């Protein structure tokens, strides 16, 4: 099929255009998303095409409008709600944790809840402690939520389409630092199944699991590792939950080593979840302790050097992977 | 049980409503008996005292296009919306065949087929959900409305206040119904809320009414007007004065000093004044009591939901199951 | 010192009485806590003793009153805020995650934040999906929060006192199922340091880490395991964060096996955090895969048999520990 | 810089205030220059347009007993409360010696020693914090107040609405100051808010005023009255009309069509009418511009906070540090 190069922002925008054209029940809800096209411009052009009825600008009332999205999903619509930064989940967390996540269970399957909450994650742009968090594992720790963290345009578009079509609530996390990342997409932006990891680099000595922006840092590290004679396999989980544990375990059975690089919390976060799952299923294959590389346990600092220090980078990954393979 | 009222005289309709009120009251009484006997898994919040409001509201609504959400105290409202009484009772008692096969329980009654979307364990959280119902009805242009029923205590939650502004801003067909029973758990409404509720709603741009469920005709007219107004496409608010005839939850003895609801006595008096014979009133009440007792008895004799009620949900998300 | 037997409820109540008598700046804030003594009666008698100025009943406005607690802690008071059920954290999560947790960091240490949020956790009483959660690891995953989960009266009182005296925000989680649990306390209810685990049973074959109510279930399991010839060591972490990793690692170095029993989430929760920390520090000592026993990944079900099935119990622990020692 | 005004004539006080307003305006202009040059880590929200409100409010307050919180757009307010301009500028630029040594940044200015507790990245979240300040002042019985400054957009957040009711219920000495600049990001206030802000506040039981910062004497009197009223022990609300002379954040070009604030021109005109010579006005303005430029220049020549600014915070909680 015809290939094209798009940024993640463009791919998401096209996916929304296509999905909304195909299905009248899809609506978008959020702050400044209609005429303004969203602060990250992901919803640009949609209001001109689909009108104010389907592109709904709201007051700064996240609890009310996320809850409205949940209720709308219960009653026949497929809302795509934009929560500008995932840090703002705090002001509407009940609607996410108790209402969206639990409704299907509480109905014992009688209700569908085709809700997507699009939000952002990712430090690195000097946005400070309340506009930079990566809360994917906070969401993933809540039973009932699906959590997606795409890292390239084709995945972003394909997973967004799948998320919109899915019957349950999905938290769809777009990394601010990746909006302008370019990559090839095939025409039609085919849907990509939720819950499937992707091996983005094959290798034999160590498995590196890294989602979203961290996948790119891992890829950069792999080059250096390669020149040092270490062959690293990199897995992008794409969906944080349900996690494709099988793909990771298969890889670790081959490499014998696991390093999880993650921008989320170091305590009870995604990295710990992967390590525990792999330990349970592939302990015998592990040649050394499974390790993680996460930011220090502090809020995201503002000043550039401190923020740089805070985020794991490819030098950190090289060092960690080297230590593990030498041990 | 709580059937339709088309093609009847006004007195017939009212008598039927009266019977439905007694059905709720008797249903809650039977649930209380079950609770005292230890047959209810946790605590239950009874609707006793808001029956008249529940029924008068429920009868203004259309199950095919309206979407209703309620609070932790919504047994009566769910029944008034037409939820199957046996399935409701089974859910409250944690039995197989409950609305959600016992997984959800007293605070989470879901009967979307009747328009009663869900009740809620989090005070106020049901209110944004009803805005979603209003949005769906609006988008589908079916003339439906969203209705959120909540308490005086909930009126101080951000979720409720934000939604008032949101509904007004988007001009949603959404009706906010606040049951003022004067109490939130052990806190008196007057101690927890400054200002008047109607003024508050009006300040958000909602058209507001208040009514006392002791006054049958007034309450009926107010709810009917409010639903009609909302159905024309704009958000509105109604404060209905009700009572809470038990404590906060059943068994919460300390609050038993609350006076019994006058609403049903007032309703009966009004019916008498319209010329409805006492005997008819008694017959209605007895029929309701019998039906309600039978529904709860049927539920109580059903088996508790088994451990495997959980089975369909295991591994759904791929989490590690214990 | 004189010993006395108290329930956890009584111990907490006494600790509050003592602390408030000793320090005028301690105030309590919450719903129905003053004259009513709190729905779990932990604050009973305090309003008679300390008056309405220090025992503040609030509207049902958790964001406003938790936030008021945070602001009061910034300005000279030591607020103890009661959040009736931890499930209600959703409606005030921003004040916990962004305001309470980050203020000290954002002030670079210039602000103290002596705030305690007392809340409940624990399934098992038919309270349903929104009154039964155990969100200790959700809180613990947020940098800046200390999280305490006591399991007996002496710890409850001593840790509460320490939490109130501590300069940072503490989430203090009382298990609803343990309020009536009795145990000995010494006179004066001595403070207990935050961040220190307690070995509640010594053993040599397997280390079981279990907080709050799960510690009691683990103890019950240990009896059965003992009769089967398996000697289990049980560690009650008491403080979820900061976690006393050292104590757990020491134990695993002795036993070679780790089982974490926890009532919180199975995905990216406390159990995963312990497993990852131990794997990193004591991999060489592990004789088999470190395992966890957690509830299934669903909301807490309402019906008794389903709720029983949902919670890990001592038979489950016996089975898991037996499997691990036999492997 | 933004010094005290005791023992001066009214005109002297006003002229000093005028100078302080120019200080804020020039400070923000200098920050904008730094931002354009790429010397600011992220986006900045400038206070340009609310200087008169900032200064008139700040001068009613007492740093020793009042506690103020502000929004994401609080450079001016922090300065008006007496925060050290160089430390504020360094924090905004992410430099060593910033209020928080660069860890916090433009949206998180903390100068508790001046009574300016904190600004906030979460819209509305600062408002409950100020209630805590009011509670502390009340408990200590020092006659202090809590002041929360927030925007028209924030007025639709549950945190703000709940706190209005809470403050009224507890009768806290708390002042809610809403800066209405007509916009929240790209959303016009009229599109996001139904009803009037003062009616809303009144419906929660607050005493409410409104003022336009273009009208110096009115605005001053209103803020003074409101602070005095609050200091006597009850919560109040003031809506102050201000402008937003840049876009939402600096560089947000699309919104550059907004008209420049008239408030300072009006202020100057009023001073002229009082007989203050143009030359004095110019001198004040020039002094302010010079001082502000010097403060920002001093900050800009300081080194960026180093990576080890983070060091004191590593391992504090025992988490695994990367
Ligand atoms: C967010 C939240 N806070 C507190 C509670 C505990 N709670 C349950 S019902 C209730 C009182 C509610 O009062 P009201 O809204 O007047 O309803 P009523 O019980 O009178 O019907 C409280 C405080 C809760 N469930 N959710
Ligand atoms: C809870 C939350 N929602 C959204 C945002 C993004 N945001 C930052 S400022 C702003 C507009 C605020 O408008 P207003 O309160 O009027 O203040 P102004 O910018 O006009 O000073 C928005 C939507 C946020 N920071 N926090
Ligand atoms: Mg009530
Ligand atoms: Mg504004």
């Amino acid at each position: 099929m015809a290939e094209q190069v798009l940024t993640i922002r463009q791919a998401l925008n096209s996916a929304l255009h296509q999905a909304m054209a195909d299905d009248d029940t899809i609506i978008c809800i959020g702050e400044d998303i209609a005429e303004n096209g969203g602060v990250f411009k992901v919803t640009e052009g949609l209001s001109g095409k689909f009108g104010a009825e389907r592109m709904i600008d709201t007051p700064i009332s996240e609890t009310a409008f996320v809850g409205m999205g949940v209720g709308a999903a219960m009653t026949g619509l497929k809302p795509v709600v934009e929560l500008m930064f995932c840090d703002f989940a705090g002001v509407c967390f009940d609607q996410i944790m108790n209402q969206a996540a639990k409704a299907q269970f509480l109905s014992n399957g009688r209700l569908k809840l085709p809700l997507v909450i699009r939000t952002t994650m990712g430090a690195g742009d000097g946005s400070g402690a309340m506009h930079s968090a990566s809360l994917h594992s906070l969401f993933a720790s809540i039973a009932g939520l699906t959590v997606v963290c795409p890292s390239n345009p084709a995945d972003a578009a394909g997973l967004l389409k799948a998320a919109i079509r899915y019957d349950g609530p999905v938290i769809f996390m777009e990394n601010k630092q990746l909006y302008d990342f370019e990559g090839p997409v095939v025409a039609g932006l085919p849907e990509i199944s939720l819950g499937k990891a992707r091996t983005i680099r094959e290798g034999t000595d160590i498995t590196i699991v890294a989602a979203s922006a961290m996948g790119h840092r891992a890829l950069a590290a792999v080059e250096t590792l390669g020149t040092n004679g270490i062959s690293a396999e990199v897995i992008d989980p794409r969906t944080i939950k349900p996690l494709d544990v099988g793909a990771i375990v298969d890889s670790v059975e081959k490499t014998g080593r696991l390093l999880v690089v993650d921008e989320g919390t170091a305590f009870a976060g995604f990295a710990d979840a992967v390590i525990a799952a792999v330990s349970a299923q592939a302990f015998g294959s592990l040649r050394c302790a499974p390790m993680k590389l996460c930011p220090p346990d502090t809020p995201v600092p503002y000043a550039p050097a401190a923020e740089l220090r805070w985020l794991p980078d490819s030098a950190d990954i090289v060092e960690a992977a080297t230590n593990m393979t030498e041990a | 049980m709580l059937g339709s009222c088309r093609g009847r005289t006004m007195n017939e309709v009212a008598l039927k409503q009266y019977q439905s009120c007694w059905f709720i009251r008797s249903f809650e009484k039977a649930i209380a008996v079950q609770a005292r006997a230890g047959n209810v898994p946790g605590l239950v919040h009874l609707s006793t005292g808001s029956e008249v409001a529940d029924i008068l509201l429920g009868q203004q609504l259309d199950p095919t296009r309206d979407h209703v959400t309620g609070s932790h105290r919504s047994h009566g409202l769910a029944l008034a919306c037409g939820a199957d009484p046996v399935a409701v009772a089974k859910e409250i008692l944690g039995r197989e065949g409950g609305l959600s096969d016992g997984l959800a329980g007293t605070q989470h009654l879901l009967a979307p087929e009747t328009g009663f979307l869900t009740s809620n364990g989090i005070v106020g959280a049901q209110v944004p959900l009803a805005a979603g119902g209003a949005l769906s009805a609006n988008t589908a242009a079916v003339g439906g409305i969203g209705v959120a029923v909540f308490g005086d205590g909930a009126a101080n939650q951000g979720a409720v206040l934000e939604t008032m502004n949101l509904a007004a801003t988007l001009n949603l067909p959404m009706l906010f119904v606040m049951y003022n029973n004067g109490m939130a758990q052990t806190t008196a409404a007057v101690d927890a809320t400054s200002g008047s509720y109607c003024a508050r709603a009006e300040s958000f741009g909602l058209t507001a009414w208040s009514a006392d469920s002791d006054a049958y005709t007034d309450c009926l007219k107010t709810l009917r007007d409010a639903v009609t107004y909302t159905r024309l496409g704009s958000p509105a608010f109604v404060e209905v004065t009700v009572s809470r005839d038990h404590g906060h939850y059943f068994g919460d003895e300390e609050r038993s000093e609350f006076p019994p609801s006058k609403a049903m006595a007032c309703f009966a008096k009004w019916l008498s004044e319209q010329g409805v014979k006492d005997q008819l009133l008694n017959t209605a009440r007895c029929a309701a009591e019998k039906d309600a007792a039978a529904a709860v008895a049927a539920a109580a004799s059903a088996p508790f939901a088994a451990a495997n009620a959980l089975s369909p949900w295991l591994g759904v998300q791929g989490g590690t199951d214990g």
Side-chain angles (χ1 to χ4, degrees), chain B residues 156-158 161-162 165 168-169 191-196 199-200 203-205:
Chain B
N156 299 317
Q157 265 287 344
L161 300 166
E162 283 187 4
N165 182 61
T169 304
D191 291 338
T193 308
S194 54
S196 103
R200 194 181 277 194
S203 82
F204 285 108

Side-chain angles (χ1 to χ4, degrees), chain B residues 231-255:
Chain B
R231 212 176 281 294
L232 290 177
S234 297
F237 172 86
V238 186
E239 173 180 359
V240 187
T241 305
V242 303
S243 67
R244 195 184 74 182
D245 289 356
H246 285 282
H248 174 60
Y249 54 86
F250 175 72
D252 186 6
E253 297 304 334
E254 295 174 61
R255 318 273 8 140

Side-chain angles (χ1 to χ4, degrees), chain B residues 27-295:
Chain B
F27 182 95
E28 293 295 62
K29 205 171 147 193
I31 293 291
V33 170
Q34 293 297 328
R36 193 177 290 118
N39 293 331
V40 176
L43 301 176
V44 280
H45 307 88
L46 300 179
S47 300
T48 320
S50 66
E51 304 87 352
V52 174
D54 288 335
I55 290 298
L56 296 190
L57 174 60
Q59 299 214 332
Q60 308 315 312
L61 303 178
D62 178 347
T64 65
R65 53 186 181 157
D66 297 335
H67 303 291
V68 186
T69 63
S71 74
H72 57 288
R73 192 185 303 287
S74 289
H75 299 175
L77 185 63
L79 294 171
C81 286
D84 171 35
V86 178
V88 171
K90 284 181 173 170
E91 191 60 31
I92 296 167
L93 301 184
R95 307 302 161 113
E96 264 179 47
L99 287 172
S100 300
D101 270 324
L103 291 179
T106 163
Q107 299 199 53
H108 306 284
L109 303 175
L110 291 92
E113 62 289 356
T114 69
F116 189 74
L117 265 189
T118 187
S119 59
N120 217 298
I122 302 296
V123 165
Q126 72 275 23
V127 177
L129 302 180
L135 182 66
S136 287
N138 212 26
T139 306
V142 290
I145 69 174
V147 181
V149 181
F150 56 96
D152 47 285
N156 299 317
Q157 265 287 344
V160 176
L161 300 166
E162 283 187 4
T163 306
M164 288 188 182
N165 182 61
L166 181 70
T169 304
L170 300 181
N171 201 31
L172 293 177
M174 168 159 183
L175 181 61
F176 295 79
V177 181
M178 192 192 88
Y179 283 1
N180 188 347
N181 60 13
M183 292 297 288
Q185 207 134 337
T186 67
T187 303
V190 289
D191 291 338
T193 308
S194 54
S196 103
Y197 297 102
C198 281
R200 194 181 277 194
E202 279 166 350
S203 82
F204 285 108
L206 306 179
T207 302
W209 284 265
S210 67
D212 188 330
S213 65
D214 288 355
Y216 169 74
T217 44
D218 254 30
C219 186
L220 176 63
K221 180 173 178 331
T222 303
L223 287 168
R224 188 183 286 150
D225 287 353
V227 168
T228 305
Y229 173 91
T230 308
R231 212 176 281 294
L232 290 177
S234 297
F237 172 86
V238 186
E239 173 180 359
V240 187
T241 305
V242 303
S243 67
R244 195 184 74 182
D245 289 356
H246 285 282
H248 174 60
Y249 54 86
F250 175 72
D252 186 6
E253 297 304 334
E254 295 174 61
R255 318 273 8 140
S256 59
E257 77 267 19
F258 280 93
S261 163
K262 298 204 315 294
M264 281 168 62
C266 293
F267 193 175
K269 184 154 167 282
W270 180 84
L271 282 163
S272 297
E273 285 162 12
Q274 305 311 303
V276 178
K277 298 257 161 61
D278 276 8
Q279 201 206 327
L280 283 178
L281 294 180
N282 273 333
T283 310
R285 173 174 170 171
C286 290
E289 285 175 342
K290 200 171 136 252
D291 290 345

Side-chain angles (χ1 to χ4, degrees), chain A residues 86-87 89 93 96-97 101 119-122 132-149 171-175 209 211-212 214 237-243 260-275 292-295 297 310, chain B residues 317 319:
Chain A
C86 74
D87 314 63
F93 202 59
I96 297 174
M97 171 173 81
T119 189
T120 56
M121 62 182 285
S132 305
S134 294
L135 301 179
H136 45 299
S137 48
L138 193 89
F139 296 123
S141 74
I142 298 167
L145 297 179
T146 294
V147 181
V148 179
C149 294
I171 312 290
F172 191 90
M173 305 191 69
E174 303 165 8
N175 196 304
V209 175
S212 196
M214 290 300 117
R238 302 197 289 193
T239 305
I240 299 301
K241 191 173 181 189
L243 180 64
V260 188
V261 184
D262 191 54
E263 192 172 346
T265 176
F267 188 89
F270 174 67
D272 287 353
V274 175
I275 288 172
K292 67 187 160 193
L293 196 57
C294 291
D297 195 36
W310 188 87
Chain B
Q317 280 277 351

Side-chain angles (χ1 to χ4, degrees), chain A residues 63-93:
Chain A
T63 289
F65 75 72
V66 169
M68 180 171 76
V70 178
M74 290 176 171
T75 52
L77 295 175
K78 298 202 182 82
V80 179
V81 177
E82 177 169 309
L83 181 65
M84 210 182 278
F85 292 77
C86 74
D87 314 63
F88 304 170
V91 301
C92 52
F93 202 59

